[in-house]
Amino acid sequence: MIEQAKFETPILFIIFNRIETTKLVFEAIKKIRPRKLYLAADGSKNNDLKEVKKINEVRDYVLSNIDWECEIHKLFRDKNLGCKYAVSGAISWFFKNEEKGIILEDDCLPSNSFFWFCDYLLKKYQNENQIMHIAGMTYVEKKNNPENYSYHFCKVGGIWGWATWKRAWKKYEIEMDSYPQAIKENVFEDLFIGENKLKTYYQNLFKKNYENRFSWDYQWTFTKIINNSINIMPSKNLVKNIGYGAYGATHTKDNDCKISKMRLNELTFPLKDQKFIVIDRKFNFINFEYSSRKKKSDQLKNFLKIVLPKKIIDFLKKV
């Protein structure tokens, strides 16, 4: 029934120069045949001819394989803006035209359930302004889920396959303009009462990003936290990052990372709704622990790659 239904929720598909991952993600999109598809692509760096060829190959592939009735919108840039402005700009462009929608990047492979999960929750919580984000990823499932809920409420939620509303994205601070005032007023002290580990982690993360301003997604996390938002994560993982260590990934280089081996799952429909809109602190913390531990491990591995000769690293892998 789900696969035969008409999929009305708009999708923003962000592509670039990786044809292999793009094909896999596009095939998942193609199965649900969305009525509206927004395509955004950054331009080449320094007009590199090899990269231009790859970029055009990806764009041509997607456009030539849309073989269903579909309203297509394109934002294909000639110049390279980089991840920060290209991705955030694409999302802003998307929400100039739509009230709600799904965002997928070219290395985020979704299960079929992901689309219908987002579609249902975007409609259900359209007017719940405190809910700002629907994530497709769940790092760790909650072992004790006696009510068999299909999703849980959390503080943040991942951006590898997600959905939101125009009303939420309007609050986005790409330059984190309110950060100095938030520090001055000790906002994080109030937002993380009794959660010192989370508070320290996010304070350090936001300080670093405010000073360097190199990404787009940490600003979205900052926006959600300072607005004391409630966000949604599925009870089972519905999106797999397939960009680790492959096809010219920008930030995800480690092919052995646990996240790259996460399984795709399907949910049972109709979904089992939560009775109360309250953050599940236990679920939130176990997912935070998993994701933050992964990042620390990656940082150590990257440091060792710089410090140790390749022969020593290869030897340690065998031990």
Side-chain angles (χ1 to χ4, degrees), residues 258 286 288-298:
K258 288 182 180 179
I286 61 175
F288 160 77
E289 280 273 82
Y290 186 97
S291 60
S292 62
R293 186 168 63 246
K294 181 274 302 183
K295 289 170 185 174
K296 290 176 182 176
S297 173
D298 284 356

Side-chain angles (χ1 to χ4, degrees), residues 218-234:
Y218 295 135
Q219 291 96 318
W220 179 230
T221 299
F222 170 78
T223 300
K224 289 182 289 180
I225 284 180
I226 62 168
N227 283 283
N228 199 22
S229 71
I230 293 176
N231 306 282
I232 298 173
M233 290 177 73

Side-chain angles (χ1 to χ4, degrees), residues 38 67 126 256 292:
Y38 287 74
D67 57 2
Q126 171 75 47
D256 295 323
S292 62

Side-chain angles (χ1 to χ4, degrees), residues 100-308:
K100 60 182 179 291
I102 294 169
I103 297 99
L104 273 172
E105 295 184 62
D106 61 1
D107 58 358
C108 301
L109 180 64
S111 67
N112 186 265
S113 292
F114 165 77
F115 297 102
W116 299 100
F117 173 78
C118 292
D119 177 73
Y120 172 78
L121 294 173
L122 283 169
K123 294 171 183 173
K124 180 175 178 62
Y125 294 113
Q126 171 75 47
N127 299 316
E128 293 286 349
N129 290 339
Q130 196 173 5
I131 298 178
M132 293 177 64
H133 182 108
I134 301 165
M137 284 188 73
T138 290
Y139 301 108
V140 184
E141 292 182 18
K142 188 176 181 180
K143 291 182 180 179
N144 183 22
N145 184 14
E147 299 296 329
N148 199 31
Y149 291 127
S150 301
Y151 54 91
H152 305 284
F153 294 110
C154 59
K155 276 190 177 290
V156 180
I159 48 87
W160 288 337
W162 57 291
T164 190
W165 301 263
K166 176 189 284 190
R167 60 162 174 79
W169 188 253
K170 278 182 179 179
K171 300 178 181 180
Y172 178 64
E173 296 185 26
I174 190 169
E175 301 299 347
M176 297 173 62
D177 295 326
S178 64
Y179 174 78
Q181 188 69 19
I183 295 298
K184 182 180 178 180
E185 296 186 16
N186 294 316
V187 169
F188 299 110
E189 296 291 335
D190 295 330
L191 290 172
F192 291 99
I193 295 174
E195 298 177 307
N196 288 334
K197 195 167 185 178
L198 275 75
K199 179 185 70 176
T200 300
Y201 173 82
Y202 283 115
Q203 279 183 322
N204 291 336
L205 180 70
F206 296 148
K207 181 177 185 294
K208 179 181 178 182
N209 200 68
Y210 181 74
E211 292 171 351
N212 295 290
R213 309 186 186 203
F214 52 83
S215 68
W216 71 270
D217 53 328
Y218 295 135
Q219 291 96 318
W220 179 230
T221 299
F222 170 78
T223 300
K224 289 182 289 180
I225 284 180
I226 62 168
N227 283 283
N228 199 22
S229 71
I230 293 176
N231 306 282
I232 298 173
M233 290 177 73
S235 59
K236 296 181 179 181
N237 183 52
L238 305 179
V239 180
K240 177 183 173 68
N241 189 301
I242 58 174
Y244 269 88
Y247 318 122
T250 302
H251 300 296
T252 51
K253 303 290 186 182
D254 185 4
N255 200 35
D256 295 323
C257 176
K258 288 182 180 179
I259 290 180
S260 69
K261 299 174 183 177
M262 289 174 66
R263 293 183 178 180
L264 275 179
N265 295 294
E266 301 289 351
L267 291 174
T268 301
F269 289 81
L271 299 180
K272 178 68 180 297
D273 289 315
Q274 289 277 353
K275 186 172 181 62
F276 306 105
I277 303 178
V278 179
I279 289 176
D280 186 327
R281 293 183 181 275
K282 184 175 181 180
F283 175 79
N284 184 78
F285 188 74
I286 61 175
N287 276 276
F288 160 77
E289 280 273 82
Y290 186 97
S291 60
S292 62
R293 186 168 63 246
K294 181 274 302 183
K295 289 170 185 174
K296 290 176 182 176
S297 173
D298 284 356
Q299 288 170 0
L300 176 60
K301 288 176 182 178
N302 290 335
F303 172 76
L304 290 175
K305 286 177 183 179
I306 295 171
V307 174
L308 297 177

